[in-house]
Amino acid sequence: MSDLPPPGSTEPVSPTPSGSPADPTAPPPPATDPASSGSAGPSVPAPGPAPADPWADQTGYGPSIPQQPGYDAQPAHPNPSGPATPADPATPPGGGDPAGWTAPGAAPPPSYPTPPSYPTPPGYPAGPPQAGWPGYPAHPMPGAAYPVAAGPGAYAGWFPGIDPQDPLVNPPHAGIGPWFARCWGALRRGWRQLLPIVLLTQVPPAMVIGVLTLVLSPDGQMATAPDGSPVLPEDFWAQTLGFYGAILFAGLIFGALQAMGWAAGTWVIARQAAGQPAGLGAAFRYGLSRALGLWGWTIVVSLLVTLGACFCLLPGLYAALALALFGPVYLFERRDPVGRSWRMFHSRFGMVLGRVALVVAALVVSTLLDVVLSGISGALFGLEPMGAVGTAIGAVTLTVLSAVVAAPTYLAQQVGLVVTYAEQRAQEGPVTAAGLAAELG
């Protein structure tokens, strides 16, 4: 049979392609644009949109799976959380893919159960902490502090009811820096009242005891017996007993004056910190009303320290440090000053020991200064300056000067002990300068 069309037919017949038969499953060829067809030339397909970038929707570590003809859309490859795991050949068709997506027609994998919710502890608000942590307890955790703004000489994190800007009370966990700042603030506020109190109540006893030392100190030198052994000078024991007896009597008599000065100075420090008036006359009147009681407790503490020093120097020093706060305890609380001072010292041993040691360091400086001036006096006027009028006047002048120069150390001692006591009260509970001033009466 001929492949040519019958005579007279105008319908073209497409030639049969040679070679292998066409794939029946192949997609049909794209249709030509009717507008481009005609007698002008062969048809040219119209330009279409640019092919989609298979990496455009890439969000993870693996490539996106492009859309395949004849299949439903598939999600992008998820971010792998670990090394790639090969597909399990035992997974049935249509089952869940462990890689994180579900095959078409398969049921989604079961979700993990919701973890149980725990009740909110009492005192804490529900939800995450907000700025300022409202509703949380104000007691700081051990070794931590709440984000509260700290002002000059203060520290963020303290018990409720304590003013971080209090000029006298050092907040708990504030440290040694704010303690120094409050001591300096007390000196700056009250030096006009404190300095006259010290000059009138602390310096005169030091002058009198210094002059008695020059006049009554045993001045005899060791003698040598015929056999070569040392012999005490004549009247040595009488002079020694007379000297120490006079010093002890002067200390007892002037102890009441010193106690009045300690009470008056404490009253000035507390009232000025509370913003209350603190005149010099009112301070002396208050000191006089507390002088006898404070003097009596001073004698008791002195006997305890002396008893400890009789066994050994170290027990006496330990007793002096442990009982250093007896004065403020008596003035503010008026009960059991020895026991309270002992308990305060041992309940916060390192803190109180460090503060009191700084106060003792000021006294050591005063003692060293007195030793230097005594050495200068001995070099200028001899070991027995009272034998002549000129040397006696010079030695007494240096003794008075030594007592006056030591006045700042008395100020540092009083201010340091009062601020240390206020800090220990803050460790036990809320306290302010106004409350301490009210306790003085």
Side-chain angles (χ1 to χ4, degrees):
M1 176 181 293
S2 175
D3 292 334
L4 298 175
S9 176
T10 61
E11 180 181 359
V13 179
S14 60
T16 303
S18 62
S20 59
D23 187 2
T25 62
T32 59
D33 188 2
S36 63
S37 61
S39 59
S43 61
V44 180
D53 185 6
W55 299 93
D57 60 345
Q58 173 65 25
T59 58
Y61 295 95
S64 300
I65 301 176
Q67 177 68 29
Q68 300 295 331
Y71 292 92
D72 295 334
Q74 298 176 355
H77 197 284
N79 294 337
S81 59
T85 304
D88 186 2
T91 303
D97 188 357
W101 62 280
T102 304
S111 59
Y112 291 98
T114 304
S117 60
Y118 296 94
T120 303
Y124 289 83
Q130 303 297 327
W133 296 15
Y136 281 73
H139 297 279
M141 302 289 288
Y146 289 125
V148 182
Y155 181 78
W158 40 76
F159 297 110
I162 294 180
D163 182 8
Q165 309 300 333
D166 193 285
L168 181 61
V169 181
N170 196 25
H173 316 296
I176 192 66
W179 182 86
F180 269 117
R182 283 165 172 81
C183 291
W184 177 249
L187 286 174
R188 189 178 65 252
R189 287 189 303 269
W191 69 271
R192 295 178 181 84
Q193 293 80 21
L194 295 176
L195 187 58
I197 291 174
V198 168
L199 292 176
L200 294 175
T201 61
Q202 309 299 325
V203 173
M207 290 180 180
V208 171
I209 292 176
V211 172
L212 288 176
T213 302
L214 288 175
V215 174
L216 301 177
S217 60
D219 53 5
Q221 297 181 357
M222 300 292 291
T224 304
D227 57 356
S229 60
V231 178
L232 293 174
E234 295 181 1
D235 301 332
F236 175 79
W237 289 112
Q239 293 180 7
T240 301
L241 292 177
F243 167 71
Y244 284 106
I247 296 298
L248 179 61
F249 181 77
L252 290 176
I253 294 300
F254 285 103
L257 178 63
Q258 290 178 314
M260 182 181 70
W262 285 113
T266 303
W267 185 83
V268 169
I269 293 171
R271 287 183 64 89
Q272 286 186 339
Q276 302 173 5
L280 195 59
F284 277 116
R285 286 193 296 271
Y286 175 82
L288 187 61
S289 66
R290 296 284 187 267
L292 291 180
L294 185 58
W295 179 44
W297 283 109
T298 303
I299 295 174
V300 173
V301 172
S302 301
L303 291 176
L304 291 175
V305 173
T306 304
L307 181 62
C310 290
F311 290 99
C312 184
L313 181 62
L314 196 58
L317 179 61
Y318 186 85
L321 294 174
L323 302 178
L325 296 179
F326 83 94
V329 169
Y330 170 76
L331 294 174
F332 286 101
E333 302 179 26
R334 289 187 292 279
R335 61 180 179 86
D336 190 20
V338 173
R340 276 281 288 158
S341 177
W342 185 272
R343 289 190 296 272
M344 278 187 176
F345 181 78
H346 290 91
S347 61
R348 286 166 293 277
F349 179 80
M351 179 187 296
V352 182
L353 178 61
R355 309 295 194 263
V356 175
L358 292 173
V359 175
V360 173
L363 297 180
V364 171
V365 171
S366 174
T367 303
L368 292 177
L369 183 61
D370 183 70
V371 170
V372 171
L373 292 178
S374 297
I376 294 175
S377 176
L380 294 176
F381 310 113
L383 297 177
E384 298 180 4
M386 306 306 294
V389 176
T391 56
I393 293 176
V396 170
T397 302
L398 278 180
T399 300
V400 172
L401 178 62
S402 175
V404 173
V405 170
T409 62
Y410 296 126
L411 284 176
Q413 181 183 8
Q414 185 167 33
V415 170
L417 291 179
V418 172
V419 175
T420 300
Y421 170 79
E423 183 183 35
Q424 301 315 304
R425 286 287 300 272
Q427 296 286 336
E428 300 172 352
V431 67
T432 60
L436 291 176
E439 289 181 6
L440 288 175

